[in-house]
Amino acid sequence: MPEAVLRAEWVSVSFGGLRAVDGVALEVGPRELVGVIGPNGAGKTTFFHTLSGVLAPTAGRIWVAGADLTGRPAHVFAMHGVARTFQTPRVFRGMSAEDNVRFGLAFAGRRRRHPHDAFDDARSILGFLGLRSEAAVAAGALPPARQRLLEIGMALGARPQVLLLDEVAAGLTESEVQATAKLIARVRSELGLAVIWIEHAVRALLDCVERVVVLHQGRKIADGVPRAVARDPAVVEAYLGIEGEHT
Ligand SMILES: Nc1ncnc2c1ncn2[C@@H]1O[C@H](COP(=O)(O)OP(=O)(O)O)[C@@H](O)[C@H]1O
Ligand SMILES: [Mg+2]
């Protein structure tokens, strides 16, 4: 089996008395596309924070491509090939789309090499995303769905090996969600990245990924192929009563 690009060993995060993440283990291989779902407050975002160095785990270890980065800051994770988006969009609204991607390139991109041409410069990243004609448009003037794409572009600018996406389809229309799912599949198939995708829109995610992890009250309650996970009694139970939220 090839070396994992990302490995979390029994990661926990406590906020005072609350265990937001409780002993989660996850191993993601090269070019794997893994979905993460779970009810609100399940610990998904907090877990992502530990995988990207935004937050040090209270217990457990995080490995990136064979290096133990537990407790290291976010820029070290970026240098080792981890890039992410945030649940609350973080584009520079007054800057052009192209300059936003350039910022991503400057942040960690120059220090890393990536074999794929799509990572060469801001223009090729915008081209990959279908944003080339909006290169000169101020990020804040782009419609929400395009801003979400731009965030992904900023993350790609860091030339990652693994991309973490936190609810990039939130607030989008049904057809925009579908387009986002297609793009995420292309990030893996065309750029060869491993992708871990948190999404609230469970159905679109399950149609797109080959593996899905379910978090509930900080714990991992399922990890497997979508068809099996969707039928898992523990998963059905976790979603009971909030079914309508996710359709
Ligand atoms: N900085 C923080 N301080 C205290 N509690 C937090 C903090 N961040 C998250 N939490 C709590 O941790 C739990 C998990 O939150 P989060 O990871 O955002 O869940 P999800 O992304 O699955 O909705 C929630 O109960 C949330 O209120
Ligand atoms: Mg969240």
Side-chain angles (χ1 to χ4, degrees):
M1 197 176 132
E3 183 176 67
V5 287
L6 202 54
R7 184 149 58 97
E9 288 177 358
W10 312 112
V11 164
S12 294
V13 178
S14 297
F15 296 114
L18 174 79
R19 275 211 161 191
V21 179
D22 192 358
V24 174
L26 178 68
E27 194 166 318
V28 174
R31 300 183 71 111
E32 242 196 303
L33 172 51
V34 182
V36 178
I37 60 172
N40 268 329
K44 305 180 296 294
T45 294
T46 305
F47 183 53
F48 257 29
H49 286 341
T50 69
L51 296 180
S52 52
V54 171
L55 203 63
T58 318
R61 309 217 71 82
I62 310 283
W63 298 75
V64 179
D68 183 350
L69 299 189
T70 315
R72 309 295 299 277
H75 73 266
V76 174
F77 278 72
M79 280 170 57
H80 281 77
V82 179
R84 67 169 294 174
T85 64
F86 287 85
Q87 195 168 341
T88 317
R90 294 191 176 185
V91 296
F92 298 103
R93 300 180 59 82
M95 269 161 53
S96 71
E98 184 167 1
D99 283 344
N100 268 276
V101 175
R102 253 198 216 115
F103 176 85
L105 280 161
F107 178 63
R110 290 193 210 297
R111 294 183 225 167
R112 287 183 51 77
R113 239 175 263 192
H114 197 283
H116 203 286
D117 290 345
F119 290 88
D120 275 357
D121 56 34
R123 293 240 145 199
S124 24
I125 290 172
L126 290 172
F128 175 82
L129 299 169
L131 279 174
R132 200 145 184 171
S133 59
E134 284 125 308
V137 177
L142 292 171
R146 314 296 280 168
Q147 287 189 31
R148 289 290 189 179
L149 287 181
L150 187 55
E151 278 193 279
I152 296 175
M154 292 171 76
L156 290 177
R159 295 186 170 96
Q161 293 295 345
V162 54
L163 180 63
L164 310 180
L165 302 170
D166 194 353
E167 298 205 19
V168 282
L172 304 187
T173 66
E174 187 52 38
S175 67
E176 288 167 346
V177 171
Q178 294 304 330
T180 303
K182 265 191 201 129
L183 174 80
I184 291 168
R186 284 178 54 226
V187 168
R188 188 269 294 276
S189 63
E190 292 177 29
L191 303 181
L193 302 198
V195 181
I196 312 180
W197 177 25
I198 293 177
E199 198 55 73
H200 202 69
V202 171
R203 196 158 296 168
L205 182 141
L206 291 180
D207 286 344
C208 177
V209 301
E210 67 219 8
R211 176 182 169 199
V212 61
V213 167
V214 186
L215 296 184
H216 180 48
Q217 297 175 349
R219 295 214 173 94
K220 184 166 98 169
I221 60 166
D223 183 345
V225 295
R227 231 170 338 123
V229 167
R231 280 198 308 251
D232 187 316
V235 174
V236 175
E237 169 93 36
Y239 275 99
L240 224 57
I242 55 167
E243 196 66 18
E245 242 187 272
H246 294 273
T247 51

